[in-house]
Amino acid sequence: DRWDGFGNPELLASFVVPNHPVLKPIIARASELLGKWTGNPSLDAYQSGDPGRVRNIIGAVLCAMAEQGIIYSEPPANCGEPGQRIRMPEEILSSHLANCLDTSALYASCLEAVGLRPVIALTGDHAFAGAWLAENSSPDIVNGDPAALRKRAADGINEILLVETTSVDKGRWDGFEPAVASAESTLASCTDFQCWVDIEAARRMDIPPLPQRVLTPDGYVIVKPEKTRRSDSPDDIADT
């Protein structure tokens, strides 16, 4: 559960674990909220071709996370090791403790679970996350240019939507739109931007999610994620 940090930022994608079973209640609640708001509970990702629909899905997932009773907490002790420990979903949702990097990875996990393409943005001491509003991705896993991210997130372009994930913490929740505004403010004003990590680009380069730690009646067991086909291009189709 330890990320090496900015020496290997692409490995942050491994902490995005869309198939973890503890995400299911969040996903189900997001569907309920989406149905309440729009009359359609389908988590249909990019199928509609409507960025507004995708925005509603992104918002529903954040609102569902805000109901989980998460309390902001500093990262777990590293005990002298480099990098930073990241709490995995089962730890966050059982302890109800998380910091900005924890909630960003959890949020990205939920977004990828519903078929969206998440990104995580990193400053020197902060993290926030979001997703592409259309079925796009960056050609690079790690992007160090904040201007490129600002441009993609800017009004009138609206290719990526970012949110402040610590807004879901107890005592901080003020709704989805303020969470978006907070992320926009951070991106516009930060002077120590490090990079943003495109999770879909990482998957294309075979950086998979970490194995899942699942609680069973006999204790925790490790379940390796299944590798899934990402396309049906001719290269993937066997000769007949």
Side-chain angles (χ1 to χ4, degrees):
D1 62 354
R2 186 176 58 82
W3 173 53
D4 286 343
F6 295 122
N8 294 287
E10 68 279 2
L11 297 183
L12 183 59
S14 296
F15 292 86
V16 178
V17 287
N19 296 319
H20 201 294
V22 299
L23 304 181
K24 291 179 180 178
I26 298 177
I27 304 308
R29 178 56 179 156
S31 175
E32 291 177 5
L33 292 170
L34 194 61
K36 181 179 179 180
W37 298 344
T38 69
N40 179 3
S42 299
L43 297 167
D44 46 6
Y46 301 110
Q47 293 180 28
S48 68
D50 177 8
R53 175 71 182 174
V54 177
R55 195 180 199 279
N56 284 334
I57 295 172
I58 292 171
V61 172
L62 191 74
C63 291
M65 270 184 56
E67 297 178 357
Q68 303 307 308
I70 297 171
I71 300 170
Y72 183 86
S73 174
E74 285 293 301
N78 273 348
C79 300
E81 295 183 345
Q84 179 173 324
R85 286 189 59 204
I86 299 178
R87 297 177 179 95
M88 300 302 288
E90 75 281 356
E91 183 177 355
I92 295 172
L93 297 175
S94 61
S95 70
H96 301 283
L97 300 176
N99 70 350
C100 60
L101 192 55
D102 302 329
T103 51
S104 291
L106 176 62
Y107 186 49
S109 298
C110 292
L111 293 176
E112 192 177 25
V114 300
L116 299 183
R117 295 183 170 185
V119 301
I120 299 177
L122 301 163
T123 72
D125 60 359
H126 192 53
F128 49 108
W132 290 84
L133 291 170
E135 200 168 6
N136 298 324
S137 65
S138 171
D140 303 308
I141 303 173
V142 179
N143 304 266
D145 183 5
L149 184 57
R150 291 182 185 120
K151 180 179 178 181
R152 294 186 185 281
D155 285 341
I157 298 178
N158 301 115
E159 292 181 344
I160 290 176
L161 181 68
L162 296 165
V163 305
E164 174 53 63
T165 60
T166 60
S167 68
V168 305
D169 296 342
K170 272 188 174 181
R172 298 188 179 190
W173 180 245
D174 195 28
F176 176 63
E177 296 300 338
V180 172
S182 178
E184 290 175 348
S185 176
T186 299
L187 183 60
S189 62
C190 71
T191 58
D192 60 346
F193 185 86
Q194 299 295 314
C195 64
W196 54 288
V197 180
D198 188 300
I199 306 306
E200 172 65 19
R203 303 300 187 230
R204 288 199 310 267
M205 296 302 293
D206 291 328
I207 299 179
L210 287 171
Q212 303 161 20
R213 190 176 70 159
V214 179
L215 183 62
T216 72
D218 298 322
Y220 281 104
V221 297
I222 302 298
V223 179
K224 292 185 177 180
E226 295 182 4
K227 187 173 182 179
T228 58
R229 294 166 64 106
R230 301 199 67 79
S231 72
D232 284 322
S233 65
D235 289 342
D236 294 328
I237 300 173
D239 293 334
T240 57

